[in-house]
Amino acid sequence: MDGAMFASIPRNTKCPLIQTVSVRNSSRRERWRDSNTESRMAKRTQPAWSVGETDTPPVLKLYNSLTRQKEVFVPQRGRQVMWYSCGPTVYDASHMGHARSYITFDILRRVLSDYFGYNVVYVMNITDIDDKIIKRARQQHLYAQYISTTRELALTLSDTRSAMDLLVENAKKATDPDQRDMLMKLSLRVTAALENLEKAVKSNDEKKIDDAKTVLIDVSRDPLSDWLDKEQGHLVTDNDIFTSLPRHWEAEYHRDMDALNVLRPNVLTRVSEYVPEIVAYIEKIIANGLAYESNGSVYFDVKTFDARSNHYYAKLVPEAYGDQATLQTGEGDLGAGDGEKKSPTDFALWKKSKRGEPWWESPWGKGRPGWHIECSAMASAICGQSLDIHTGGVDLKFPHHDNELAQAEAYFDNDQWVRYFLHSGHLTIQGCKMSKSLKNFVSIADALKRHTSRQLRLAFLLHSWKDNLDYSDNTMEQAINYEKMLNEFFLSVKDVTRHVTGETRLDSFHKWGTREMELQAKFSQTKEAVHITLCDNIETRPALDSIRDCITACNVYLRGGDPDCLLLRDIAAYITRIMRVFGAIHTSEDIGFPISSASAGNANVEELVMPYLTIMADFRDSVRGLARSLKATDILAECDKLRDDVLPNMGVRLEDHEGRATAVKLVDKDTLLREREAKKKAEAEKILEKERKRKEMEAAQALREAQKRVPPQEMFKSETEKYSLFDDKGIPTHDREGKELSKGQIKKLQKLWQAQEKKFLEFQSACNNHVAT
């Protein structure tokens, strides 16, 4: 059908074909409208959503000495953590070996509370009743009496020899080779002092005799004290000396901890204040059939405890079961011995006090607590029948901590008094364990004279908390370098972001380019890496390594110019926060280490003085610019003097940069003065080195000139230590033994002869020309 056929049909005529096509099109449109309506209605409801695939986040794991592996940390009561830590036995100054534990656990505590958000209740004891304290108190008392009394020389010599005999006897009995070696070295020093006094006596010089006597008594202090205690210790009746000594050293300990920025415990327990609770604790263990009284003392029945199905002795160090030497060390020097025990493996819960020892009333008579029972009783009194965390030095594992576990589980009749046992590694000095008894230690007070508390803490942070650490110059140098890197980074960020204020302005934001995207990616990687490593047994060394890498990336970014200040401040604030979590920063600065000033009180010194310093630096830049244009060297010298000599005395460092404003940094005054001295020393050494090289060059030139004057026929003839015969040109033919030289050797000598001939001819020619002119 074509168009003419349709045109010939009247309009009011109904064509069957047209009607059919129209109906079909109408049906299709209706179906499309219905489908589209349904689709639009479906999109008016909430679409399906899924989280998609995600990585499993890391969980906190701690190395548990009870299992000797890392375990997922799950406290018993939600976010609350009940933590007991063994504190000091206060009979002497705390040393860096103690600081190893105290700083280590302070770091772990801060990370758990300030990073992971746990509610930590930290309990620590003070051992102020102990055999070491009793013995030391008596010895100091008796020695003070001894030196205050005038004695004849013969009696002093006799007493010292008796003390020497006891010292040698103790050295022979010592099972620890380090202790035996220490005692023998002490005996040699005393012997030398005795011999010196005998020589002085023979000289009949009263001053020499008095001096030698003073030296002898001083060198013999320890052996004399030990001998006096053995002879007269039972006569001491003044109980005040047994309380004044631990009080004194406890006060010193707290001062040391404050200086190290170690947080105070939430609860501190002293043995002397818990004697009634300890007595009641022992009574219940006896009632449970796991302890017995013997001659006024009470002992823990190890075999009976271990035989019960729900108990296990020596959980931490099962291989040490029955180690008599270690067990005896744990019993103390003033124990009664094995005669009162059912078994040598049993240990004292309560010790009967002998003459010359402090005492408290008990159902078994006058006595005092044993060493191990104090921690079990006091920790239980505060934390209840189960602790989340118990900490201490690795040397306390056996027998102290194993005995603690046994006592508490015997008391509560349970088998999990401690859920996580954490032990810090030893601190060694020149490879040997730091120990008071070995006289091999550096006191905390002495360490703080050489290094800051932050540097000491960084030294620990740069090593795993559970591994041994050697306290050495190399270890501290690493910490000092890390601190310097951190501080320089903080100072640089402060300098370039100083214009950033708290007010948000249009110019507060910087369009990000590739450099910013890369730095942000590095920042994100750093935060993730730090989190992962802290989850992994709170390993701080890898965390510090990640932070170092991030700082390196920031320093590279800063050298590119036009930095995004907000991004840099975010990174610096994060690193500051982590350092604060670690206890390396103890103030609330947003960025960097605190700048302290005694005269400023609690004010932020940097905020107070930086505006004025910036004005001064800008003015100096303007003056330098004018001086350069005018070539006014005197003014430039004054500007340099301000930078190099004046401002460092005020703790201010100016860093001149070509093409941009001078950087102004507040740095510790002593640090700047050391830097200045190091710079002067380096410059002086540079001048000396330059002068040395000049003299060497002059000497070498003079030697060359002198060599030119030597005729080639004479150059070898003076070397008679090498050669014995020469040819007609003066070239050697035989060595000093008369052996003929090889052809190769003669060939080399001929080349040297020819070179010298050339030099000599040039020299003669120059001389002739000089004469001619």
Side-chain angles (χ1 to χ4, degrees):
M1 184 181 297
D2 56 19
M5 291 177 62
F6 283 103
S8 64
I9 300 174
R11 292 192 177 189
N12 59 353
T13 304
K14 293 183 179 180
C15 176
L17 179 58
I18 293 176
Q19 285 182 325
T20 302
V21 172
S22 177
V23 169
R24 288 176 179 173
N25 288 341
S26 175
S27 176
R28 286 175 182 154
R29 286 194 297 270
E30 289 175 359
R31 286 198 301 272
W32 179 83
R33 283 197 299 269
D34 292 343
S35 174
N36 197 37
T37 300
E38 290 176 3
S39 176
R40 289 200 306 271
M41 294 302 294
K43 285 198 172 183
R44 300 287 68 79
T45 60
Q46 195 76 38
W49 179 89
S50 65
V51 72
E53 293 185 3
T54 59
D55 294 331
T56 302
V59 296
L60 175 60
K61 292 184 178 181
L62 298 175
Y63 185 86
N64 190 353
S65 296
L66 287 164
T67 62
R68 301 189 184 184
Q69 65 182 15
K70 297 173 188 176
E71 305 288 357
V72 176
F73 182 60
V74 183
Q76 300 172 83
R77 292 174 284 276
R79 304 300 295 175
Q80 180 171 298
V81 176
M82 299 303 294
W83 184 336
Y84 180 84
S85 192
C86 279
T89 300
V90 282
Y91 71 100
D92 205 340
S94 297
H95 57 65
M96 287 302 297
H98 300 128
R100 170 60 167 155
S101 290
Y102 304 135
I103 295 178
T104 290
F105 298 134
D106 184 67
I107 292 168
L108 299 188
R109 175 187 177 187
R110 289 171 182 270
V111 171
L112 281 181
S113 61
D114 298 344
Y115 186 85
F116 289 107
Y118 288 104
N119 174 25
V120 176
V121 179
Y122 192 85
V123 185
M124 190 191 78
N125 76 297
I126 294 288
T127 297
D128 58 355
I129 302 173
D130 180 79
D131 286 11
K132 292 178 181 178
I133 294 173
I134 295 169
K135 194 170 181 178
R136 178 62 60 86
R138 288 193 318 219
Q139 287 178 344
Q140 289 189 359
H141 172 70
L142 293 169
Y143 181 78
Q145 281 187 333
Y146 184 84
I147 62 174
S148 65
T149 304
T150 303
R151 280 179 168 75
E152 295 294 331
L153 178 60
L155 184 58
T156 299
L157 288 169
S158 174
D159 291 345
T160 305
R161 290 193 179 97
S162 297
M164 270 286 294
D165 292 340
L166 180 62
L167 174 64
V168 173
E169 181 184 339
N170 290 337
K172 291 178 180 178
K173 290 179 182 178
T175 56
D176 185 338
D178 291 332
Q179 185 179 24
R180 182 168 57 250
D181 183 55
M182 181 271 295
L183 293 174
M184 292 308 297
K185 287 179 179 178
L186 177 58
S187 70
L188 291 175
R189 291 198 299 272
V190 176
T191 300
L194 276 168
E195 292 173 352
N196 186 50
L197 178 56
E198 289 170 353
K199 288 180 181 178
V201 171
K202 290 178 182 178
S203 71
N204 289 322
D205 187 325
E206 290 298 327
K207 184 177 186 308
K208 286 184 178 180
I209 293 173
D210 288 341
D211 291 345
K213 184 178 178 182
T214 301
V215 170
L216 176 63
I217 292 177
D218 185 58
V219 171
S220 306
R221 179 187 182 98
D222 287 347
L224 264 176
S225 298
D226 203 24
W227 175 72
L228 288 168
D229 187 56
K230 182 181 178 182
E231 296 294 316
Q232 304 173 27
H234 62 284
L235 301 176
V236 176
T237 57
D238 184 3
N239 279 339
D240 287 343
I241 72 167
F242 301 117
T243 57
S244 59
L245 178 76
R247 286 291 181 183
H248 168 77
W249 288 116
E250 182 188 340
E252 291 297 314
Y253 164 79
H254 292 310
R255 273 191 282 271
D256 287 340
M257 293 305 102
D258 287 346
L260 292 173
N261 192 33
V262 171
L263 294 172
R264 298 173 184 172
N266 299 115
V267 183
L268 185 135
T269 61
R270 298 184 182 91
V271 181
S272 60
E273 297 171 347
Y274 276 79
V275 173
E277 289 85 349
I278 292 171
V279 169
Y281 205 87
I282 295 171
E283 286 182 302
K284 186 173 179 182
I285 296 175
I286 294 174
N288 289 344
L290 295 173
Y292 57 90
E293 184 270 341
S294 177
N295 192 31
S297 295
V298 179
Y299 296 95
F300 189 84
D301 193 335
V302 171
K303 287 185 177 179
T304 302
F305 174 82
D306 196 49
R308 295 193 179 179
S309 59
N310 63 328
H311 293 313
Y312 189 105
Y313 181 69
K315 285 183 174 182
L316 290 166
V317 195
E319 61 269 26
Y321 186 99
D323 182 347
Q324 289 303 303
T326 308
L327 286 167
Q328 186 54 45
T329 300
E331 287 294 79
D333 292 340
L334 305 179
D338 293 341
E340 297 177 349
K341 303 178 184 179
K342 292 181 180 179
S343 168
T345 58
D346 296 347
F347 55 88
L349 304 181
W350 183 264
K351 293 182 177 182
K352 178 182 178 180
S353 290
K354 301 182 289 293
R355 291 179 63 194
E357 298 176 358
W359 55 267
W360 286 260
E361 291 287 359
S362 79
W364 318 287
K366 294 178 179 179
R368 63 186 191 281
W371 176 34
H372 315 296
I373 192 64
E374 64 182 59
C375 288
S376 298
M378 293 189 294
S380 299
I382 304 299
C383 303
Q385 62 182 2
S386 184
L387 317 179
D388 291 302
I389 296 176
H390 193 319
T391 49
V394 67
D395 54 323
L396 297 179
K397 275 188 178 181
F398 185 87
H400 184 56
H401 286 159
D402 268 324
N403 288 354
E404 273 190 57
L405 287 167
Q407 292 163 160
E409 292 174 5
Y411 178 87
F412 290 111
D413 194 27
N414 64 18
D415 63 350
Q416 198 177 47
W417 183 58
V418 174
R419 295 168 67 85
Y420 298 86
F421 233 127
L422 313 182
H423 289 96
S424 61
H426 282 308
L427 186 76
T428 58
I429 180 168
Q430 296 180 342
C432 298
K433 176 191 170 186
M434 199 172 285
S435 168
K436 285 181 188 175
S437 60
L438 299 178
K439 308 296 181 184
N440 176 51
F441 68 92
V442 176
S443 71
I444 292 173
D446 286 341
L448 286 171
K449 291 176 183 176
R450 295 189 60 196
H451 302 105
T452 66
S453 63
R454 182 187 300 122
Q455 290 165 353
L456 294 174
R457 185 172 290 254
L458 284 170
F460 293 165
L461 286 163
L462 286 166
H463 295 79
S464 175
W465 60 267
K466 69 181 183 64
D467 295 339
N468 290 348
L469 168 63
D470 192 53
Y471 179 70
S472 63
D473 289 341
N474 182 56
T475 299
M476 294 311 305
E477 189 65 27
Q478 292 177 19
I480 291 168
N481 289 337
Y482 197 95
E483 180 191 44
K484 184 176 181 180
M485 177 206 63
L486 284 172
N487 196 38
E488 290 302 321
F489 168 68
F490 290 142
L491 291 173
S492 295
V493 172
K494 285 180 180 180
D495 179 62
V496 300
T497 64
R498 206 170 304 284
H499 66 280
V500 177
T501 63
E503 179 186 357
T504 304
R505 302 182 306 195
L506 292 177
D507 61 354
S508 297
F509 299 97
H510 182 286
K511 181 182 178 181
W512 278 18
T514 302
R515 295 171 59 241
E516 285 73 27
M517 295 294 290
E518 289 175 349
L519 185 59
Q520 173 61 37
K522 183 65 177 177
F523 182 29
S524 297
Q525 292 168 7
T526 299
K527 289 193 287 187
E528 182 179 6
V530 169
H531 181 68
I532 289 172
T533 193
L534 292 182
C535 285
D536 183 20
N537 196 39
I538 312 183
E539 293 294 351
T540 55
R541 173 61 184 266
L544 293 189
D545 288 343
S546 296
I547 288 172
R548 179 192 283 112
D549 291 344
C550 186
I551 289 175
T552 300
C554 288
N555 291 336
V556 172
Y557 173 76
L558 277 166
R559 287 196 289 271
D562 192 23
D564 184 287
C565 296
L566 293 181
L567 175 56
L568 284 171
R569 285 186 69 87
D570 285 345
I571 295 173
Y574 167 77
I575 295 174
T576 301
R577 174 183 169 251
I578 294 299
M579 290 301 114
R580 190 178 297 115
V581 167
F582 289 162
I585 296 176
H586 62 276
T587 55
S588 58
E589 269 82 1
D590 292 333
I591 292 178
F593 298 139
I595 304 295
S596 60
S597 173
S599 61
N602 295 323
N604 187 314
V605 177
E606 194 162 12
E607 289 183 0
L608 286 173
V609 304
M610 193 53 71
Y612 305 102
L613 290 174
T614 303
I615 293 170
M616 180 273 298
D618 291 343
F619 176 74
R620 176 177 171 274
D621 282 347
S622 299
V623 170
R624 288 178 78 235
L626 291 171
R628 282 180 172 180
S629 64
L630 297 173
K631 297 182 179 180
T633 56
D634 291 344
I635 296 177
L636 286 172
E638 286 299 317
C639 290
D640 290 345
K641 183 179 179 182
L642 177 67
R643 178 195 62 199
D644 298 334
D645 298 331
V646 177
L647 290 177
N649 290 308
M650 306 302 294
V652 179
R653 182 203 288 160
L654 295 186
E655 295 177 357
D656 293 326
H657 299 286
E658 200 66 38
R660 64 182 178 90
T662 296
V664 185
K665 299 179 179 180
L666 284 185
V667 186
D668 176 68
K669 174 184 172 181
D670 292 336
T671 300
L672 283 180
L673 295 180
R674 284 194 297 269
E675 286 179 359
R676 186 174 67 184
E677 291 305 312
K679 183 179 178 181
K680 288 182 179 179
K681 183 179 179 182
E683 289 174 350
E685 289 175 350
K686 187 176 180 180
I687 293 171
L688 289 174
E689 180 65 13
K690 186 176 179 180
E691 180 65 15
R692 184 185 65 79
K693 288 183 178 180
R694 185 188 65 79
K695 289 182 178 179
E696 285 182 354
M697 289 178 64
E698 289 177 351
Q701 182 63 28
L703 181 61
R704 286 193 294 269
E705 292 296 326
Q707 286 176 340
K708 287 179 182 180
R709 294 180 172 85
V710 178
Q713 295 85 355
E714 303 295 329
M715 66 180 294
F716 294 118
K717 288 186 176 180
S718 62
E719 299 181 21
T720 54
E721 75 282 359
K722 294 182 180 179
Y723 312 111
S724 59
L725 292 176
F726 306 85
D727 64 12
D728 56 348
K729 289 184 177 181
I731 298 174
T733 58
H734 293 71
D735 64 16
R736 60 178 295 183
E737 282 79 22
K739 184 179 178 181
E740 188 175 355
L741 298 178
S742 67
K743 291 182 179 179
Q745 289 174 310
I746 292 175
K747 191 174 181 179
K748 288 180 181 178
L749 293 171
Q750 287 173 342
K751 287 183 178 180
L752 292 173
W753 191 95
Q754 290 168 359
Q756 182 62 23
E757 182 185 36
K758 183 179 179 182
K759 292 177 185 177
F760 183 71
L761 292 173
E762 289 175 351
F763 168 71
Q764 284 184 322
S765 176
C767 288
N768 292 334
N769 291 336
H770 179 70
V771 171
T773 57

